[in-house]
Amino acid sequence: MSKELKTGIVAVIIIFIFIWGYNFLKGQNLFDGNTRYFKVEYSNIGGLTESSLVTINGLKVGKVVDIAFNKAADKKGELIVRFSIDKDFQFSKNSVVKIYSPSPLGGSNLAIIPHYEGEDAVSGDYLKGQIESSLFTSIGERLDPIQAKLEDVMVSADSLFRNVNKVLDTNTQQSLKNSVTSLETTLKEVKKMMVSVNGMINATSSDLKESVKNTKTITANFAKVSDTLAKVNIGEIMKKAEVSLNSVNKMLEGINTGKGTIGKLITDETMYTNLENASKELEELLREMKLHPKRFVHFSLFGKKAKAYTPNKDTELEKEANN
């Protein structure tokens, strides 16, 4: 073998090794026949770079091979991402390729969300693309409306402060100072009043304790009385009272019907008339004894006999006494 032939063979081997190494570093394995290549379009790749990982359900299955602008006139500015899959995993053309960020500080990767309905995807097919919002993107999307609202609030606050400055002229400021001074004086008076109230409470605390003690004693006495009343046979007492009332009713009924001395006295008119006549005669007897005591009583130290009764003379003396 000539020296030139050896040199050519070595040069071809070196070139092949260089091409293989270059493609290997780009994520392409020339000796792997199962490698498939797919494309997906994005309007924004969110930090995706060549050699970014491609995963299915968290498992690394390939790498991003190339990222280039779309040359179509109606899709200027769109980006075409070409990636390879080394694993022999079948999925349909309806699968979705999503750009996601595994960490806030790391780069972006591709995640294939496989679908199995429909025609199987083959090397060279275009798949549907989606972008998953990262932490900072989500925060930014939420902060944008808040920022707009804060700007509106700041403008409103600025207008409010301007109006307040217009209202708070020198006289108003002086009035506010006077009001604050009056409020301070009022608070001092309230403080003094509270001190006085505390003193009164402290002074009457012993009386309150004594009142509470008396109340407890009264409550205990009431409890004893209630216990005593609970032990008393109320039913027996009521029966006895009922018997007594029946006896009184019978007695009153007898009086009304004229039974007994009281009943006869109340119902018998003859007895009432006799009593009235006896009362009149007793009254006349007492008057006679008062006017003529000598008729009934005679007393003499020397044994002198009593004078005989002369009706005419006595009648005249009685008339004179009546006159």
Side-chain angles (χ1 to χ4, degrees), residues 41-164:
E41 294 182 353
Y42 296 103
S43 60
N44 186 353
I45 60 175
L48 189 70
T49 61
E50 294 182 5
S51 73
S52 294
L53 299 180
V54 179
T55 61
I56 296 178
N57 296 333
L59 176 65
K60 176 186 174 183
V61 295
K63 293 183 179 181
V64 175
V65 177
D66 182 48
I67 300 174
F69 285 103
N70 196 334
K71 296 181 180 179
D74 57 341
K75 294 184 178 181
K76 287 185 178 181
E78 299 287 332
L79 294 168
I80 298 176
V81 177
R82 184 169 176 265
F83 61 93
S84 64
I85 296 179
D86 299 332
K87 304 292 182 180
D88 188 12
F89 182 80
Q90 298 297 326
F91 50 85
S92 69
K93 292 182 178 181
N94 296 324
S95 301
V96 177
V97 182
K98 182 181 291 186
I99 298 176
Y100 74 97
S101 297
S103 64
L105 301 178
S108 298
N109 294 328
L110 290 180
I112 298 176
I113 302 174
H115 291 273
Y116 307 104
E117 296 179 357
E119 186 179 355
D120 290 341
V122 296
S123 182
D125 287 341
Y126 276 88
L127 301 178
K128 298 178 183 179
Q130 287 184 359
I131 300 176
E132 185 181 62
S133 298
S134 63
L135 176 63
F136 294 112
T137 303
S138 178
I139 292 175
E141 291 176 354
R142 294 184 180 183
L143 287 179
D144 287 341
I146 295 175
Q147 181 182 359
K149 291 181 180 180
L150 284 176
E151 290 177 354
D152 294 337
V153 171
M154 293 300 293
V155 172
S156 300
D158 183 61
S159 301
L160 176 63
F161 287 132
R162 287 181 181 177
N163 294 329
V164 169

Side-chain angles (χ1 to χ4, degrees), residues 273-288:
T273 303
N274 293 333
L275 287 174
E276 185 177 6
N277 293 331
S279 177
K280 288 182 179 180
E281 291 177 357
L282 180 61
E283 183 180 358
E284 291 177 356
L285 176 62
L286 292 174
R287 184 182 297 111
E288 186 69 20

Side-chain angles (χ1 to χ4, degrees), residues 85-276:
I85 296 179
D86 299 332
K87 304 292 182 180
D88 188 12
F89 182 80
Q90 298 297 326
F91 50 85
S92 69
K93 292 182 178 181
N94 296 324
S95 301
V96 177
V97 182
K98 182 181 291 186
I99 298 176
Y100 74 97
S101 297
S103 64
L105 301 178
S108 298
N109 294 328
L110 290 180
I112 298 176
I113 302 174
H115 291 273
Y116 307 104
E117 296 179 357
E119 186 179 355
D120 290 341
V122 296
S123 182
D125 287 341
Y126 276 88
L127 301 178
K128 298 178 183 179
Q130 287 184 359
I131 300 176
E132 185 181 62
S133 298
S134 63
L135 176 63
F136 294 112
T137 303
S138 178
I139 292 175
E141 291 176 354
R142 294 184 180 183
L143 287 179
D144 287 341
I146 295 175
Q147 181 182 359
K149 291 181 180 180
L150 284 176
E151 290 177 354
D152 294 337
V153 171
M154 293 300 293
V155 172
S156 300
D158 183 61
S159 301
L160 176 63
F161 287 132
R162 287 181 181 177
N163 294 329
V164 169
N165 289 330
K166 290 180 181 179
V167 172
L168 293 178
D169 54 4
T170 304
N171 295 329
T172 306
Q173 292 177 3
Q174 187 64 35
S175 298
L176 288 174
K177 290 180 180 178
N178 295 334
S179 300
V180 171
T181 303
S182 300
L183 180 61
E184 183 179 2
T185 304
T186 303
L187 291 175
K188 289 181 179 179
E189 294 296 330
V190 170
K191 185 177 180 181
K192 291 180 181 179
M193 183 179 68
M194 293 302 295
V195 171
S196 301
V197 170
N198 290 331
M200 292 174 61
I201 292 174
N202 293 330
T204 57
S205 59
S206 58
D207 295 336
L208 289 174
K209 291 180 180 178
E210 190 66 25
S211 299
V212 171
K213 187 184 295 183
N214 294 334
T215 303
K216 290 182 178 179
T217 304
I218 293 171
T219 304
N221 293 333
F222 274 124
K224 292 179 180 179
V225 171
S226 62
D227 293 338
T228 304
L229 291 176
K231 294 178 181 179
V232 172
N233 193 349
I234 302 298
E236 188 66 24
I237 294 174
M238 294 300 294
K239 288 181 180 179
K240 292 181 179 179
E242 185 177 1
V243 171
S244 300
L245 290 175
N246 290 332
S247 299
V248 172
N249 290 330
K250 289 180 180 180
M251 183 179 66
L252 293 175
E253 185 178 357
I255 291 172
N256 290 329
T257 56
K259 295 180 180 180
T261 304
I262 297 176
K264 291 180 179 180
L265 179 63
I266 293 174
T267 58
D268 193 353
E269 294 182 357
T270 303
M271 188 173 182
Y272 174 76
T273 303
N274 293 333
L275 287 174
E276 185 177 6

